[in-house]
Amino acid sequence: MIQQLILLEKEAIEHINSITTEEMLTLFKNDLLGKTGKLTVILKGLKDLNPEEKQTVGKFANTLRDTINLVFEKQKETIKQRWIEEKLANTWIDVTLPIEETIPHLHPITQVRMDVEDTFRRMGYEIYESREITTEYNNFDAVNVPKTHPARDMQDTFWLEGNGNVLSTQTSSMQNFILKNNTPPIRAIIPGRVFRNEDVDATHENTFYQVEGIVIDKNIGMDHLKFTIRTMLSDIFWKEVTIRMRPGYFPFVEPGVEIDFSCPFCSGNGCKICKKTGWIEFMGAGLIHPNVLKEWGLNPDEYSWFAFGFWLNRLVMIKYGIPDMRYFQNPDIRFLKQF
Ligand code: PHE
């Protein structure tokens, strides 16, 4: 049996030293020392030997197993070392290549959001952060959109499973929160990300940013609304901008208006961006609807108010002449590097 073992050891060591990958090494180790491995099978014959022989052969077999294990480990190291040497020899880095400019900067939406916040802060507004997930109540009911109202279909909503919550479709969903947690006078803007289940094109996105504004004070009217929006836009564009107001419908304002910008791409001549109208629909606004105020327990004889909401994405597009809203969510570095 000892002879058998000596032969096995010789063959095994030779073979191990010829192996060149870790995988083959593991396979061979199993072949030799595993449960049905060659050495294990030979050692099963131990039980037929007399006690004396058993002891000698047993001892010999143990030393042999240790030796073989050691050879396995050494070969593993050799394989690793060879791999590293090969990599070092065949991989190289061109240290003369110019280094890419990596100065970090903010996304254009964030930059303009901060500009908007600045201008409103100067007008005495507080800045709130909107909630991306909200209740059906805050998103619809609290702003006068009852269950049966067709306005609920106006916005294709992402409903969350099970609990009736929604991804905010409008920052107006924050109006209720602001009113419940403050007492007038209130001047607040709420920038936030909103979600609509819509087809995406150059001027529509399923995920975009809005800024909500809400003012509740004494003797507040349309003139304040107009002044506020013009001030903000003139601040953002560093010049007087042309806006127009036309009647608009939103269930939470009465009267409601749409405010448009003259299109800066075609100077009002008509192009793809303004759908050939010369104007860019910019925002919804109006005096807050009496039903919404009743909901908040405010007395219309004492207070007056306005609210507005606009798409921050659209403002950024106008400011920087970006022709397609889809760029904002596209992580193409060539787009982002321009800001
Ligand atoms: N929430 C409206 C929208 O998403 C905008 C709006 C806000 C209109 C406040 C009027 C008043 O389009």
Side-chain angles (χ1 to χ4, degrees):
M1 196 177 232
I2 298 241
Q3 282 310 313
Q4 230 182 332
L5 288 173
I6 290 176
L7 191 70
L8 182 80
E9 181 181 25
K10 187 171 171 282
E11 279 176 4
I13 291 177
E14 260 171 34
H15 188 67
I16 294 169
N17 286 333
S18 73
I19 292 177
T20 53
T21 69
E22 276 192 52
E23 291 79 16
M24 295 301 290
L25 204 61
T26 311
L27 279 180
F28 185 60
K29 198 172 179 181
N30 260 338
D31 252 13
L32 203 62
L33 309 178
K35 264 191 189 143
T36 55
K38 279 185 199 126
L39 181 65
T40 319
V41 170
I42 294 177
L43 292 184
K44 271 187 186 148
L46 271 180
K47 64 178 181 336
D48 304 326
L49 301 178
N50 67 43
E52 225 169 83
E53 280 177 326
K54 230 188 231 170
Q55 215 191 6
T56 339
V57 180
K59 234 185 189 166
F60 187 84
N62 275 340
T63 326
L64 184 141
R65 183 189 274 125
D66 289 348
T67 313
I68 289 183
N69 266 325
L70 218 73
V71 179
F72 267 120
E73 285 311 308
K74 257 179 84 184
Q75 187 61 8
K76 203 169 163 184
E77 260 318 298
T78 311
I79 292 172
K80 237 187 228 162
Q81 206 53 42
R82 256 189 230 144
W83 182 85
I84 292 172
E85 275 163 20
E86 209 171 291
K87 277 269 170 227
L88 284 177
N90 297 320
T91 317
W92 60 282
I93 295 165
D94 184 353
V95 290
T96 65
L97 273 180
I99 296 168
E100 278 267 328
E101 193 206 332
T102 52
I103 297 168
H105 61 93
L106 298 171
H107 190 281
I109 295 218
T110 308
Q111 292 182 27
V112 177
R113 194 202 73 215
M114 290 166 91
D115 288 348
V116 169
E117 288 177 2
D118 267 358
T119 177
F120 278 104
R121 213 176 269 121
R122 279 202 305 279
M123 288 192 270
Y125 281 67
E126 285 190 76
I127 322 276
Y128 287 83
E129 206 176 332
S130 104
R131 310 279 147 99
E132 295 188 349
I133 293 176
T134 190
T135 58
E136 178 182 5
Y137 176 79
N138 279 340
N139 199 77
F140 293 119
D141 303 84
V143 282
N144 198 34
V145 190
K147 290 249 180 316
T148 52
H149 202 288
R152 287 204 197 224
D153 312 322
M154 271 162 50
Q155 299 164 341
D156 280 342
T157 304
F158 289 110
W159 293 86
L160 299 185
E161 268 178 27
N163 50 15
N165 285 350
V166 297
L167 295 187
S168 272
T169 65
Q170 51 179 355
T171 42
S172 301
S173 61
M174 286 294 290
Q175 285 189 12
N176 185 49
F177 178 86
I178 303 292
L179 264 291
K180 288 275 153 75
N181 291 288
N182 292 282
T183 44
I186 293 170
R187 279 196 205 99
I189 59 159
I190 313 110
R193 189 155 64 156
V194 297
F195 308 86
R196 292 184 192 176
N197 189 5
E198 33 188 340
D199 292 337
V200 171
D201 62 25
T203 54
H204 294 89
E205 255 292 5
N206 51 27
T207 303
F208 56 97
Y209 291 81
Q210 284 192 327
V211 178
E212 189 81 6
I214 183 164
V215 169
I216 302 185
D217 206 338
K218 294 183 176 162
N219 304 316
I220 294 294
M222 277 294 196
D223 45 347
H224 295 104
L225 171 64
K226 247 186 192 168
F227 174 82
T228 304
I229 300 308
R230 271 233 303 269
T231 303
M232 174 197 79
L233 290 173
S234 301
D235 261 11
I236 295 293
F237 293 101
W238 290 57
K239 62 178 179 206
E240 285 294 318
V241 295
T242 317
I243 60 169
R244 72 175 185 190
M245 277 184 173
R246 54 197 165 80
Y249 169 70
F250 302 94
F252 33 90
V253 283
E254 180 61 41
V257 292
E258 302 250 9
I259 303 179
D260 304 337
F261 251 131
S262 63
C263 178
F265 294 105
C266 58
S267 310
N269 293 325
C271 66
K272 201 174 119 202
I273 301 305
C274 60
K275 295 188 187 129
K276 304 214 181 304
T277 64
W279 292 91
I280 290 189
E281 283 181 27
F282 181 54
M283 70 195 294
L287 305 186
I288 299 171
H289 196 286
N291 284 356
V292 179
L293 291 159
K294 256 185 244 153
E295 177 79 25
W296 294 329
L298 285 176
N299 177 6
D301 293 331
E302 191 182 357
Y303 287 108
S304 37
W305 32 68
F306 65 75
F308 60 83
F310 64 85
W311 292 33
L312 191 57
N313 296 42
R314 202 160 275 169
L315 186 58
V316 181
M317 287 169 82
I318 298 162
K319 185 169 163 102
Y320 292 121
I322 297 166
D324 195 314
M325 200 178 294
R326 286 168 290 197
Y327 284 128
F328 292 126
Q329 297 227 90
N330 181 345
D332 190 331
I333 205 75
R334 288 168 305 177
F335 168 71
L336 294 171
K337 267 168 99 172
Q338 298 172 57
F339 301 94

